[in-house]
Amino acid sequence: MTLNLTDGEMQALQELCDKKDLSKTAVLRQALRLYQLVDVRLEQGGKLFFEDEAKKEKAELMVL
């Protein structure tokens, strides 16, 4: 499989690899599984939120 990424996307991928001590393949597999989980939950009518417990703030994440 060939994957074409912009320089910025490749940099983001490399930063995640370094931070998590994972290969590019491992990071992309995790991202795919996460996206799949999110897609299923949204199809079932769920919503995604980020919550800042310290500030008691919630923000809904909109996925296209």
Side-chain angles (χ1 to χ4, degrees):
M1 180 174 120
T2 300
L3 182 62
N4 296 310
L5 299 174
T6 65
D7 290 342
E9 292 165 340
M10 185 57 84
Q11 181 179 348
L13 177 57
Q14 188 60 57
E15 288 172 3
L16 283 169
C17 291
D18 295 342
K19 182 178 179 180
K20 301 292 184 183
D21 193 29
L22 295 170
S23 68
K24 289 179 179 119
T25 299
V27 170
L28 290 172
R29 284 180 176 157
Q30 285 186 1
L32 181 58
R33 287 192 294 268
L34 176 60
Y35 189 85
Q36 188 177 31
L37 172 68
V38 166
D39 191 54
V40 167
R41 294 278 178 104
L42 291 173
E43 283 182 353
Q44 294 173 347
K47 294 184 178 183
L48 298 172
F49 291 92
F50 285 105
E51 182 176 6
D52 184 331
E53 290 185 14
K55 294 181 182 178
K56 304 293 183 200
E57 295 177 349
K58 286 185 183 180
E60 183 176 355
L61 176 65
M62 303 300 291
V63 179
L64 301 176

